[in-house]
Amino acid sequence: MIVCMLPDDGTDIKIMHQLRKEKNINRADSIACRGVPNLQTAKTRLGRLPEPTLYRILTIIVTEAEADDVFDFVYQQAQIGQPGRGALVQTPLVGATRYVMPDD
């Protein structure tokens, strides 16, 4: 399982389309969440939390054979190496259910 935390700027949708088109991978999901960057300067009044920012969590399920290639692909497409572009992790999959969507 590959999990990518991305800014809420449409990068998740772009990557899902590219995964489908270029890698024939349709086992991806994106959800919205709120968070505060851990390096963000917290300038708030005493006792108040910093304002959260919207993010997307992109989860991609791949076979072990595909994992390294897809990880590198997502790293490049999401520009993870650039400041503020998110984080990317790869972890063993605990469980998932295989299903096939109808063509129509």
Side-chain angles (χ1 to χ4, degrees):
M1 180 171 66
I2 298 169
V3 180
C4 190
M5 283 74 55
L6 299 166
D8 188 22
D9 62 359
T11 302
D12 58 321
I13 299 297
K14 182 180 110 181
I15 290 173
M16 287 194 300
H17 284 291
Q18 290 172 327
L19 286 170
R20 173 74 172 172
K21 183 179 178 182
E22 297 177 30
K23 304 285 185 185
N24 198 28
I25 294 174
N26 61 2
R27 300 167 310 270
D29 181 40
S30 177
I31 60 170
C33 63
R34 297 187 308 168
V36 177
N38 61 353
L39 299 178
Q40 175 179 327
T41 304
K43 295 181 181 178
T44 63
R45 292 189 300 190
L46 186 61
R48 307 225 41 207
L49 294 173
E51 284 295 316
T53 305
L54 292 176
Y55 291 94
R56 301 294 299 188
I57 297 179
L58 175 62
T59 305
I60 307 159
I61 307 297
V62 294
T63 65
E64 190 173 346
E66 299 170 306
D68 289 338
D69 181 48
V70 173
F71 185 91
D72 292 340
F73 179 81
V74 173
Y75 181 89
Q76 294 297 324
Q77 296 303 315
Q79 300 174 340
I80 296 296
Q82 301 298 319
R85 292 304 303 162
L88 184 62
V89 296
Q90 184 172 317
T91 180
L93 181 63
V94 175
T97 301
R98 181 178 292 230
Y99 63 93
V100 177
M101 297 294 290
D103 292 333
D104 60 344

